[in-house]
């Protein structure tokens, strides 16, 4: 078997790895792919170089330029080292490094530490796995210029990843992200990578960051007296084999919650995630063991964090007495609703406060902020853009909270990334607050809808793997641009926002205006949004970190009463289904 079916660029990359200064095991693995005739896998492994998406590098573990391995991670780290050294001349540069429970995460973290140290950069390396948001906190706490967390978030076990952070504690954004890629692309040979570490420049950290982080998390509490009265709130928590086990139970205990039950089958960190198909709290299957335990012990609240503990899923008993898992739009809205009320009741709203969310996250948050006189900033998808807004407004406006529909939330600004540890603490507090008033978390959800309108969101996520899948996703977006829908769910499309062209079209008049580039959290991005006359919104967005294209649908109606919840919910769900059918993508 030969590799004649490969295109010339892919073939050149394969030849380079086979003949270059790569280790013997890597070359043997490549030769095995060739000998076995697995041209598809060979193509997917070499047809491109890994690129930064919304979260940095992310890919399948394995050999090749499009895989996560010693050489791709090494090249990224060497390029980043070169960029940092150039960006901070004359500075005693330091970086912080953390990792999750995934396959190869500890090894990659140590590799990254070695390369940084070989480039005359001081390294603070967590001695064992830690949540991603704690890495963001550590950068600010230690005064680092940059940071790395080795993780692939909630992806399946065969993935790993590499997130890069800047000195504000947020993930890198433009112009740094593109400039770093330019430096990485200059690493054309393995010989350019300084693999030999300098041990005296590597410092292990743990409790000296853990303790102040937990103290700051405690400061987020707005009703500590309620927690005292509801200390026995019956909570079920699972880290789904990830990093959350290191700090979620500790933080809940520090706040005063005394009745937390851990899902023991998922308590041990394990990169194989043996109890789930995918360690994603957005999926009910990943939370099934927590649901089983919650029903067995009559719990008040379920919480589950993803492997790197930046996202959290939650569930509570609904008005029928059954456990219902709340989606990311619902939980983001609940957190912000609770905080807006608390800030108003304590006289903390001065007109200079703000909330931040992504453009595909529910507009219910915008509506609530408007009622409370709080600015709501909308950004592109990716929490790094929310961090950018916080950085730009630091010292001018006060950040309350932020969130995105994909189960990521942030309370307070001492972390600059979504924080499932802080979110678990706040979700437990707002559940305790509801119980203190004789209500459930679900009662609060319905009251929020009655006050502000019932917003229902639906997500369709289509997976398209490999080179062929990437081309199919691009074609789908091209087709939508060439032939946008005229109506959705029976309502005419009145506006189209194209964030790739940074162009807004008034579909009723045919007039086009520019979406301001360079404004906080906004740059050219492959996203399309369609708005209808009756308030329905549909967003189409290829993922920057996964082989997927996602369609976000939002519909809304007034909610007259709690008794009308089920009927209104059914109407909205049917309308969202009609909207998806009109798109013709499933």
């Amino acid at each position: 078997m030969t590799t004649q079916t490969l295109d010339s660029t892919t073939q050149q990359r394969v030849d380079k790895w086979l003949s270059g200064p790569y280790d013997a095991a890597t070359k043997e693995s490549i030769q095995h792919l060739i000998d076995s005739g697995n041209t598809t896998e060979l193509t997917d492994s070499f047809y491109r170089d890994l690129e930064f998406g919304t979260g940095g590098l992310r890919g399948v573990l394995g050999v090749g330029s499009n895989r996560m391995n010693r050489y791709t991670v090494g090249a990224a780290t060497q390029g980043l080292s070169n960029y940092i050294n150039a960006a901070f001349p004359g500075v005693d540069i330091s970086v912080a490094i953390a990792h999750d429970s995934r396959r190869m995460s500890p090894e990659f973290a140590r590799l990254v530490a070695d390369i940084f140290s070989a480039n005359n950069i001081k390294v603070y390396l967590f001695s064992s796995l830690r949540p991603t948001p704690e890495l963001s906190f550590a950068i600010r706490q230690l005064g680092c210029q940059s940071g790395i967390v080795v993780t692939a978030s909630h992806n399946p076990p065969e993935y790993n990843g590499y997130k890069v952070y800047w000195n504000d504690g947020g993930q890198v954004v433009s112009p740094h992200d593109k400039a770093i890629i330019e430096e990485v692309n200059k690493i054309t040979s393995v010989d350019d990578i300084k693999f030999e570490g300098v041990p005296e420049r590597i410092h292990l950290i743990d409790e000296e960051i853990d303790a102040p982080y937990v103290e700051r998390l405690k400061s987020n509490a707005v009703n500590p007296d309620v927690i005292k009265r509801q200390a026995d709130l019956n909570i079920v928590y699972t880290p789904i084999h990830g990093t959350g086990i290191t700090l979620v139970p500790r933080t809940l205990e520090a706040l005063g919650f005394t009745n937390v039950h851990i899902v023991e089958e998922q308590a041990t960190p394990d990169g194989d995630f043996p109890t789930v198909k995918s360690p994603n709290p957005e999926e009910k299957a990943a939370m099934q063991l927590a649901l089983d335990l919650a029903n067995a012990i009559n719990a008040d609240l379920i919480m589950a964090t993803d492997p790197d503990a930046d996202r959290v899923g939650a569930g509570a008993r609904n008005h029928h007495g059954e456990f219902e898992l709340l989606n990311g739009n619902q939980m983001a809205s609940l957190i912000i609703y609770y905080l807006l009320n608390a800030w108003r009741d304590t006289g903390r709203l001065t007109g200079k406060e703000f909330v931040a969310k992504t453009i595909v996250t529910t507009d219910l948050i915008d509506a609530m902020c408007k009622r409370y006189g709080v600015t709501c900033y909308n950004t592109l998808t990716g929490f790094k853009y929310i961090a950018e807004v916080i950085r730009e407004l630091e010292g001018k406006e006060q950040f309350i909270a932020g969130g995105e529909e994909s189960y990521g939330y942030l309370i307070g600004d001492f972390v600059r990334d979504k924080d499932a540890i802080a979110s678990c603490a706040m979700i437990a507090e707002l559940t305790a607050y509801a119980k203190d008033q004789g209500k459930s978390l679900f009662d609060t959800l319905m009251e929020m809808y009655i006050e502000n309108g019932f917003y229902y969101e639906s997500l369709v996520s289509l997976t398209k793997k490999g080179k062929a899948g990437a081309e199919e996703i691009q074609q789908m977006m091209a087709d939508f641009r060439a032939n946008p829908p005229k109506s959705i769910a029976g309502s005419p499309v009145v506006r189209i926002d194209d964030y790739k062209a940074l162009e807004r079209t008034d579909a009723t008049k045919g007039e086009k205006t520019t979406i301001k580039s360079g404004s906080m959290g906004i740059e050219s991005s492959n996203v399309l949004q369609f708005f209808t006359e009756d308030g329905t919104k549909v967003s189409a967005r290829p993922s920057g970190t996964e082989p997927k294209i996602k369609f976000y649908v939002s519909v809304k109606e007034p909610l007259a009463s709690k008794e009308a919840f089920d009927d209104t919910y059914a109407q909205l769900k049917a309308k969202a289904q009609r909207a998806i059918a009109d798109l013709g993508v499933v």
Side-chain angles (χ1 to χ4, degrees):
M1 169 68 194
T2 67
T3 56
Q4 295 303 311
T5 55
L6 299 180
D7 65 69
S8 59
T9 302
T10 303
Q11 184 68 63
Q12 286 172 8
R13 287 197 180 99
V14 172
D15 292 343
K16 179 180 177 180
W17 281 57
L18 281 174
S19 62
Y22 297 84
D23 65 89
T26 293
K27 293 181 178 181
E28 287 173 9
S29 296
I30 297 170
Q31 192 62 48
H32 176 73
L33 290 176
I34 296 171
D35 294 343
S36 64
N38 197 343
T39 306
T40 300
E41 177 67 19
L42 200 60
T43 298
D44 287 345
S45 297
F46 284 96
Y47 82 94
R48 65 171 188 172
D49 295 329
L50 277 180
E51 298 176 353
F52 279 92
T54 56
L57 285 175
R58 188 175 299 184
V60 174
L61 291 164
V63 296
S65 60
N66 189 38
R67 294 289 187 255
M68 287 290 296
N69 53 62
R70 171 180 176 82
Y71 302 104
T72 55
V73 171
T77 308
Q78 185 62 54
L80 177 59
S81 298
N82 294 345
Y83 183 73
I84 294 171
N85 278 323
F88 298 98
V91 174
D92 185 14
I93 299 171
S94 63
V95 300
I97 302 172
H99 69 82
D100 68 6
S101 59
R102 288 184 168 272
R103 300 169 184 167
M104 293 299 295
S105 283
E107 292 85 352
F108 283 151
R110 186 70 205 196
L111 172 71
V112 169
D114 284 341
I115 295 171
F116 277 132
S117 70
N119 282 275
N120 200 34
I121 294 172
K122 185 177 182 179
V123 176
Y124 294 103
L125 173 65
F126 277 100
S127 61
S128 60
L129 78 171
R130 287 296 189 284
T132 286
E134 190 179 8
L135 184 277
S136 173
F137 176 80
I139 291 170
R140 294 168 58 79
Q141 184 79 359
L142 296 167
C144 296
Q145 281 65 48
S146 183
I148 296 289
V149 61
V150 178
T151 181
S153 189
H154 57 283
N155 280 61
E158 63 267 23
Y159 283 82
N160 212 324
Y162 181 102
K163 292 183 185 178
V164 182
Y165 290 76
W166 207 237
N167 59 358
D168 66 331
Q171 291 183 47
V172 289
V173 294
S174 183
H176 300 301
D177 54 356
K178 296 176 180 63
I180 291 167
I181 281 292
E182 288 179 8
E183 289 297 328
V184 172
N185 289 340
K186 293 176 183 176
I187 309 300
T188 58
S189 168
V190 175
D191 294 329
D192 295 335
I193 305 170
K194 299 177 182 178
F195 284 111
E196 198 65 40
V198 182
E200 55 266 31
R201 292 196 189 119
I202 300 173
H203 307 269
L204 297 182
I205 54 173
D206 38 52
E207 185 60 22
E208 64 266 42
I209 302 299
D210 295 344
Y213 176 50
V214 172
E215 283 303 307
R216 290 301 300 271
L217 291 171
K218 285 172 62 179
S219 73
N220 279 338
V222 291
N223 284 298
D225 290 343
V226 167
I227 296 175
K228 288 180 181 178
R229 290 194 295 271
Q230 300 296 333
D232 65 343
L233 185 75
N234 199 353
I235 300 170
V236 166
Y237 167 69
T238 175
I240 318 182
H241 305 289
T243 63
I245 193 65
T246 63
L247 283 173
V248 172
R250 174 175 172 171
T251 301
L252 292 173
E253 182 181 4
L255 283 166
F257 291 105
T258 60
N259 194 18
V260 179
H261 303 268
I262 310 296
V263 178
E264 292 300 331
E265 300 96 320
Q266 297 176 327
T268 302
D270 188 333
D272 290 330
F273 311 114
T275 64
V276 293
K277 287 185 178 179
S278 177
N280 186 355
E282 296 181 61
E283 299 174 7
K284 184 177 180 179
M287 297 183 68
Q288 190 58 55
L289 289 175
L291 281 164
D292 293 344
L293 178 58
N295 280 314
I297 66 172
N298 195 29
D300 299 305
L301 173 67
I302 299 170
M303 295 186 291
T305 53
D306 67 346
D308 69 323
D310 61 356
R311 303 172 193 252
V312 57
R317 292 195 183 278
N318 62 21
H319 51 302
H320 300 299
E322 302 165 344
F323 263 105
E324 185 162 329
L325 299 179
L326 303 179
N327 64 40
N329 285 301
Q330 291 173 318
M331 188 50 69
S333 299
L334 277 169
I335 289 171
I336 290 167
Y337 177 64
Y338 175 70
L339 289 170
L340 288 173
N341 279 299
W343 280 56
R344 178 199 61 192
D345 294 346
T346 55
R348 296 175 65 188
L349 294 182
T350 67
K352 292 187 176 181
E353 291 73 33
F354 74 97
V355 162
K357 71 175 188 69
T358 64
I359 58 174
V360 296
T361 300
T362 179
D363 292 340
L364 170 58
I365 295 173
D366 300 78
M368 290 191 297
C369 287
K370 186 175 181 180
R371 287 186 62 215
Y372 287 82
V374 171
T375 303
C376 182
Y377 293 99
N378 282 267
T379 76
L380 293 177
T381 303
F383 227 88
K384 64 182 181 180
Y385 297 114
I386 292 177
E388 183 182 17
V389 172
I390 297 171
R391 185 186 69 242
E392 292 295 323
L393 294 176
E394 197 162 10
K396 304 170 190 174
E397 298 181 28
Q398 179 64 50
F399 177 69
I400 296 175
E404 58 183 6
E405 50 72 41
S406 54
Y407 291 54
Y409 327 111
L410 176 63
I411 301 96
D413 65 358
F414 54 89
V415 166
R416 300 295 171 88
D417 202 354
K418 51 189 176 286
D419 187 342
I421 315 300
S423 301
C424 283
M426 188 54 63
I427 293 166
E429 179 182 338
L430 65 91
T431 305
Y433 184 83
K435 190 172 184 180
D436 203 52
Q437 297 179 317
K439 297 183 293 188
S440 70
L441 183 61
F442 207 85
D443 288 325
T444 304
L445 179 76
M446 291 191 288
E447 290 170 1
M448 177 179 68
Y449 287 150
I450 291 169
E451 291 179 27
N452 301 283
F454 194 161
Y455 288 69
Y456 174 88
E457 287 81 24
S458 179
L459 172 66
V460 173
S461 182
L462 306 179
T463 299
K464 306 285 184 179
K465 291 187 176 181
K467 183 181 180 183
E471 291 170 350
E472 185 178 352
I473 287 172
Q474 293 307 312
Q475 187 60 51
M476 291 174 77
M477 293 298 288
D479 291 344
F480 275 117
R481 287 189 168 91
N483 298 291
K486 300 293 189 294
S487 67
I488 298 173
S491 183
V493 172
V494 297
R495 185 178 119 201
I496 302 171
D497 286 357
D498 185 344
Y499 283 88
K500 186 175 183 179
L502 290 171
E503 190 172 73
R504 176 167 294 163
T505 302
D506 182 331
T508 60
K509 300 178 181 178
E511 297 175 350
K512 296 182 185 292
T513 55
T514 299
I515 299 172
K516 186 178 178 183
S517 177
S519 56
M520 293 183 299
I522 299 296
E523 60 189 23
S524 178
S525 181
N526 194 12
V527 182
L528 277 171
Q529 292 191 306
F530 307 104
F531 301 82
T532 71
E533 192 173 71
D534 69 355
T536 296
K537 180 174 79 171
V538 175
S539 306
R541 183 185 76 88
S543 172
T545 57
E546 302 171 272
K548 294 179 179 180
I549 182 169
K550 298 181 179 182
F551 298 91
Y552 309 77
V553 177
S554 176
V555 295
K556 64 178 181 177
E557 294 285 350
L559 179 61
S561 65
K562 291 182 180 179
E563 290 72 28
F565 179 90
D566 289 343
D567 287 343
T568 306
Y569 175 84
Q571 292 169 17
L572 289 169
K573 185 176 181 180
K575 187 175 182 179
Q577 289 171 340
R578 289 200 305 275
I580 291 295
D582 286 350
L583 293 177
V585 296
V586 291

